[in-house]
Amino acid sequence: MKKLLLTGFEPFLNFAINPTMRIVEELQGKIVGDYQIHSEVLPVDFRKAGKLLLEHVDRIQPDALISLGLAGGRYKLTPERIAININDGEADNSGNVLEDEVIEIEGQDAYLSTLPIRQMVNYLKEEGLPAEISNTAGTYLCNHVMYQGLHYAKAHEMQMPSGFIHIPASHELAIQHGKIPSWSHADLKRGIEICIKVLSER
C-alpha cells in the first residue's frame, strides 16, 4: 500500500475554523484509491510550518504529498499550479510579519505542481463539484508549504507527486464569518477524496 501525506492547517487570521483541519483528521488512516493516508495539521507559522512538513516527509517517507489550505472567499475547489519563492503577508499565528522574504536561497524562483491537477479538475466537475486550476497560491503559508514540499522533492530527486489544493469555506465557518461562500463539509471531504483517487489512477 502506498502512503500519502495529507496536511491541513489550524485556524488563522479572522477564520476561527479551518475546514482543512477537520478533513485531514477524519481521513487519517483511511485508504483512498491506492493510498493509505497519513494526516498532519500544520501551524500557521512561517518559521515552523515548512520545517514540520519536511520532518513529516522524512518520518513517513510518503509516495505522494497533498497539502490543503482554506481560501475563504473562493467558491470552487482549486488545485494550485505554481508555488513561488517568496514569503509575504499578514502576521501569522505567532506574530511573524514577512515582506518579500526568499523561502529558499538556493531554490528556484518557482516550482510547478507535480500533481495531475488538470485531471483532478476535470473529474471533480464530472462528479458535480465546481473546480478550476488556480494560478496563484498567494504568498502566505499555503504557498510557503507548497514551495517547501516541491523544493525538497526536487533537491532530493524524489519521485513524490507533490502539490496544494485550496478549498472554500465550510458552512460552519461561513455562518460564523458571515460574508463568504461555502460548501458542506461532506462535499469538501468528497472533493479531496476524488483528487486522491485521480492521483491513484495516474
Side-chain angles (χ1 to χ4, degrees):
M1 179 65 62
K2 294 193 286 188
K3 295 180 285 188
L4 169 70
L5 174 57
L6 183 69
T7 72
F9 280 111
E10 65 185 2
F12 65 104
L13 298 177
N14 62 335
F15 301 113
I17 297 166
N18 193 327
T20 67
M21 188 172 176
R22 182 176 172 192
I23 291 169
V24 300
E25 288 174 346
E26 290 184 2
L27 290 178
Q28 164 61 22
K30 303 291 186 185
I31 295 173
V32 180
D34 294 335
Y35 291 95
Q36 182 169 36
I37 298 174
H38 297 258
S39 296
E40 296 292 343
V41 176
L42 300 174
V44 177
D45 184 320
F46 280 112
R47 301 306 184 210
K48 296 178 181 178
K51 182 184 295 187
L52 280 172
L53 174 74
L54 301 184
E55 287 177 3
H56 295 319
V57 170
D58 283 340
R59 175 174 54 84
I60 295 167
Q61 294 292 299
D63 298 285
L65 167 63
I66 297 177
S67 295
L68 307 179
L70 167 67
R74 290 191 191 177
Y75 52 91
K76 297 180 180 181
L77 280 171
T78 50
E80 296 293 342
R81 192 190 301 273
I82 191 167
I84 62 174
N85 195 6
I86 290 291
N87 286 326
D88 192 292
E90 298 181 64
D92 65 19
N93 285 357
S94 296
N96 300 304
V97 180
L98 305 184
E99 186 175 84
D100 303 333
E101 180 186 83
V102 173
I103 298 173
E104 290 289 345
I105 298 296
E106 301 298 324
Q108 296 177 188
D109 289 342
Y111 292 105
L112 294 175
S113 173
T114 51
L115 299 177
I117 58 175
R118 178 61 65 189
Q119 295 95 317
M120 287 177 172
V121 165
N122 290 344
Y123 201 83
L124 285 164
K125 290 193 288 189
E126 288 174 10
E127 292 296 309
L129 296 176
E132 65 183 4
I133 291 172
S134 167
N135 292 313
T136 175
T139 54
Y140 198 54
L141 267 296
C142 295
N143 175 77
H144 176 87
V145 163
M146 180 181 177
Y147 186 93
Q148 291 277 24
L150 288 163
H151 174 73
Y152 190 83
K154 175 83 171 180
H156 291 80
E157 299 181 343
M158 299 171 68
Q159 299 301 310
M160 178 182 71
S162 179
F164 199 95
I165 302 172
H166 266 120
I167 69 169
S170 61
H171 292 332
E172 182 184 15
L173 174 57
I175 289 169
Q176 187 176 95
H177 188 277
K179 295 183 179 180
I180 49 177
S182 62
W183 286 26
S184 71
H185 171 73
D187 278 344
L188 290 172
K189 182 178 173 183
R190 181 166 72 94
I192 298 309
E193 290 175 315
I194 287 170
C195 289
I196 296 169
K197 289 176 183 175
V198 171
L199 181 59
S200 297
E201 296 167 3
R202 186 180 184 184

